Structures are given as C-alpha cells and as structure tokens.
Amino acid sequence: MSPPLAQEKLYTIDDIYSLPEGSRAELVDGQIYYMAPPNRRHQAIARELFSSINSYIKSKNSSCEPFFAPFAVFLNKDDTNYVEPDISVICDPDKLNDKGCTGAPDWIIEIVSPGSRRMDYFTKLFKYRTAGVREYWIVDPEKNRILVYNFESEDTGDYTFADSVKAGIYDDLIINFSNMADLLNI
C-alpha cells in the first residue's frame, strides 16, 4: 500500500491580505501567484489604453467604470479567487464595493509581462471565461500582438500594434494601437 498523497495547501483571500506590505499576488483556485512589478513599457501601454477607455466612457455618460491595477477583482464571489487585472471595466454598479469588484467585470485587459505569459494566455483565459467576463484582451508587446476574446459572441480576433481594434462590449469604441507602436521599443 502506497502512502497517501500530500494535500496541497489551499490559500484564501485572507492569505493575500496577510502578505507583507508591498507584496503583489493573485489567487486562482486557492493557489497564490506572485507578481513582479510591471516595467515601464507595460505601464505606458496600460496608461494609453486606460486613457482611451476612460475618455470614451466619460464622453458617453456611461454607467460603466474603468479601473487599473492594482484593483481587486473577486472573480467567483468565493474566497479562493482574487485577481488584479491590468484594466477592468465594470458596468454593473452592484458589483462594486470599497474593496473592489465582486463578480466578473464586463471587460478585462491583461498586458503580458515575461513572468505572466502562461498565466495570461491560459490560466486567466479559462478563469475569465468561466467566471462570466464578457470580453478579454491579451496585449503582448513582446510579440506585437493583441488577442481579443469576445466570449458573448464566441469570436476571437488576432491583431498587431499596427491595427485598430474594436471593443466588443461597445458599439463604437475603437482603439488605434498604431498610436502606441512606439511604446514597443521602450
């Protein structure tokens, strides 16, 4: 008879909040994933995207609200999933509280860093889809690529920093990535 397998420790949101000051981590299915600080290029792209989205939302007097990391998203309304997407757009004000967003945002954008590649392309893609996120963009400056997953219509788009990309959750929001192409070389 073989010995029983060791049980993997499952962490909770309390463990995330108990991390030392300044530590950044996400929690997916009870597993902690530590995050390195973003580099300058990552932050510049996030700034430009957030600025475009925020300006659009304000111009439409929309009830949606955009947020940038670090912003807590409690994906499944449980205590074993906590993420900090680079950009989140939430259109249901009932999901927002002082701690962040409880439930799935409508639109999430992740900007890929060398240490987040597997997490952004695989783990989060699955988690966001199953949690009810309507649209997920993976912006990968290293590969000059923007992958757009519109989970509502089950469409996928593959773009470069030379393209303009339409947001699926809005009728007329188009983000011109060619305006950000120079940020690839930062």
Side-chain angles (χ1 to χ4, degrees):
M1 183 190 253
S2 59
L5 294 174
Q7 199 73 9
E8 239 184 75
K9 178 170 173 39
L10 288 182
Y11 294 92
T12 67
I13 290 167
D14 289 339
D15 294 307
I16 292 290
Y17 281 108
S18 297
L19 292 173
E21 183 84 26
S23 297
R24 287 197 55 216
E26 294 179 308
L27 184 67
V28 177
D29 295 330
Q31 296 303 302
I32 292 179
Y33 297 88
Y34 291 92
M35 300 184 316
N39 64 28
R40 181 174 157 222
R41 174 174 57 180
H42 181 285
Q43 289 296 81
I45 292 168
R47 177 191 67 229
E48 296 302 314
L49 285 169
F50 181 84
S51 179
S52 294
I53 294 165
N54 191 46
S55 293
Y56 173 85
I57 288 172
K58 280 183 171 184
S59 76
K60 298 293 182 181
N61 292 319
S62 173
S63 63
C64 299
E65 285 192 65
F67 296 92
F68 51 85
F71 178 74
V73 174
F74 306 93
L75 260 186
N76 298 333
K77 299 182 183 177
D78 62 23
D79 69 346
T80 59
N81 288 282
Y82 165 95
V83 292
E84 292 181 359
D86 291 309
I87 298 172
S88 304
V89 176
I90 295 99
C91 297
D92 179 354
D94 291 337
K95 290 183 178 181
L96 296 170
N97 61 38
D98 285 343
K99 288 190 172 192
C101 175
T102 302
D106 293 87
W107 182 15
I108 288 178
I109 299 175
E110 293 285 8
I111 301 161
V112 179
S113 300
S116 73
R117 187 165 301 283
R118 180 171 172 70
M119 187 75 149
D120 293 337
Y121 276 101
F122 300 104
T123 307
K124 287 184 176 178
L125 173 65
F126 176 76
K127 287 306 293 183
Y128 292 161
R129 181 183 190 128
T130 57
V133 171
R134 294 168 56 198
E135 186 166 354
Y136 175 42
W137 289 19
I138 301 172
V139 178
D140 192 334
E142 194 174 293
K143 293 188 181 233
N144 184 24
R145 183 178 200 195
I146 301 102
L147 282 174
V148 174
Y149 295 92
N150 185 324
F151 297 133
E152 287 184 317
S153 64
E154 298 187 13
D155 286 338
T156 304
D158 194 351
Y159 305 91
T160 72
F161 275 74
D163 295 321
S164 291
V165 181
K166 183 187 174 310
I169 70 165
Y170 295 110
D171 291 331
D172 57 353
L173 173 58
I174 296 171
I175 296 179
N176 184 350
F177 276 86
S178 65
N179 294 337
M180 291 182 247
D182 59 327
L183 300 177
L184 295 176
N185 298 318
I186 289 179

